[in-house]
């Protein structure tokens, strides 16, 4: 899966894979006080398509797994 930046008020859907459809909601993260720069560039790169996210990486605490388990 390739990651893309999603500002508050927008969402992006990732289809397929073992987890089924995964939806990233920018407003949910912003509503919890999380600023974009807390994850970009510390966890995710800023270039579209630069991060290839796998469940193995997430389960190892990388990418989304940094906060979600």
């Amino acid at each position: 899966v390739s990651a893309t930046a999603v500002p508050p008020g927008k969402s992006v859907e990732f289809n397929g894979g073992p987890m089924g459809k995964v939806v990233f909601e920018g407003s949910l993260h912003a509503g919890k006080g999380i600023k974009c720069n807390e994850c970009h560039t510390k966890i995710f790169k800023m270039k579209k398509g630069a991060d290839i996210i796998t469940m193995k990486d997430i389960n190892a605490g990388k990418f989304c797994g940094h906060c979600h388990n």
Side-chain angles (χ1 to χ4, degrees):
V1 172
S2 178
T4 57
V6 181
K10 301 290 182 179
S11 66
V12 65
E13 293 184 2
F14 301 98
N15 295 308
M19 299 304 292
K21 181 172 73 172
V22 176
V23 179
F24 176 87
E25 295 278 351
S27 60
L28 291 177
H29 289 80
K32 294 189 180 288
I34 301 169
K35 305 288 186 212
C36 298
N37 66 357
E38 291 181 46
C39 297
H40 300 279
T41 60
K42 297 171 187 167
I43 299 172
F44 298 96
K45 296 175 185 169
M46 292 297 289
K47 184 176 179 182
K48 183 177 179 179
D51 291 315
I52 304 301
I53 302 170
T54 66
M55 284 306 301
K56 181 179 177 181
D57 287 333
I58 291 172
N59 291 332
K62 298 176 183 175
F63 302 116
C64 305
H66 186 81
C67 297
H68 301 278
N69 58 22

